[in-house]
């Protein structure tokens, strides 16, 4: 099932799951104690939305742009990397037609068919 999904929707390339140690005053660094795993996955970009963000002052309302980015991937790859919140997912430009973006794992949920849905945030620049 996983191979069918990846071959049909996962484009030709791969993502890299990079275990990460968060820094206190910087973006952090790769965790040398856990394996970096390269695997096929299906990347999804949700629709953009503008949402209220915080209170207003002086008649102005804070607003921010928000959109969902998530990855469908075989759970075995996440387990091999020991993936958890805060780890990085690197998406190479030639594989998903993006600018070679890096995301941070926000949360992971299983979908009942040995795949996981990885909800991601854009990673802070180093």
């Amino acid at each position: 099932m996983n191979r069918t999904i990846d071959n049909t929707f996962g484009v030709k390339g791969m993502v890299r799951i990079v275990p990460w140690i968060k820094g206190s005053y910087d973006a952090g660094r790769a965790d040398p104690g856990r394996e970096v795993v390269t695997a096929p996955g299906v990347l999804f970009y949700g629709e953009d939305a503008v949402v209220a963000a915080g209170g207003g002052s002086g008649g102005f309302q804070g607003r921010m742009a928000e959109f969902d980015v998530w990855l469908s991937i075989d759970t075995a790859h996440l387990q091999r990397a020991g993936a958890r919140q805060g780890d990085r997912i690197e998406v190479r430009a030639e594989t998903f037609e993006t600018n070679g973006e890096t995301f941070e794992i926000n949360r992971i949920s299983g979908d009942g068919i040995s795949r996981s849905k990885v909800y991601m945030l854009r990673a802070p620049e180093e």
Side-chain angles (χ1 to χ4, degrees):
M1 173 73 103
N2 284 314
R3 185 171 295 147
T4 301
I5 292 170
D6 289 332
N7 288 340
T8 304
F9 302 106
V11 204
K12 297 178 185 123
M14 311 291 249
V15 298
R16 283 179 16 133
I17 304 163
V18 182
W20 203 257
I21 299 171
K22 287 188 174 188
S24 297
Y25 300 103
D26 59 12
R29 60 185 167 79
D31 182 350
R34 294 187 287 148
E35 180 182 2
V36 173
V37 175
T38 302
V42 184
L43 185 69
F44 294 89
Y45 284 90
E47 294 183 21
D48 293 348
V50 176
V51 297
S57 68
F60 294 100
Q61 174 68 37
R63 293 165 51 100
M64 63 181 265
E66 175 183 270
F67 66 96
D68 290 331
V69 180
W70 58 275
L71 177 73
S72 174
I73 191 167
D74 185 336
T75 302
H77 299 304
L78 296 172
Q79 290 172 340
R80 197 169 105 214
R84 59 185 179 223
Q85 184 179 28
D87 286 350
R88 301 293 172 95
I89 302 285
E90 295 177 352
V91 180
R92 296 195 326 239
E94 66 273 12
T95 61
F96 289 108
E97 300 175 11
T98 67
N99 296 326
E101 297 172 284
T102 300
F103 298 95
E104 182 178 313
I105 296 175
N106 183 31
R107 68 185 191 281
I108 301 170
S109 66
D111 66 2
I113 58 168
S114 76
R115 290 188 75 79
S116 289
K117 190 172 183 179
V118 181
Y119 295 89
M120 303 183 296
L121 307 168
R122 212 170 284 289
E125 303 223 357
E126 297 178 34

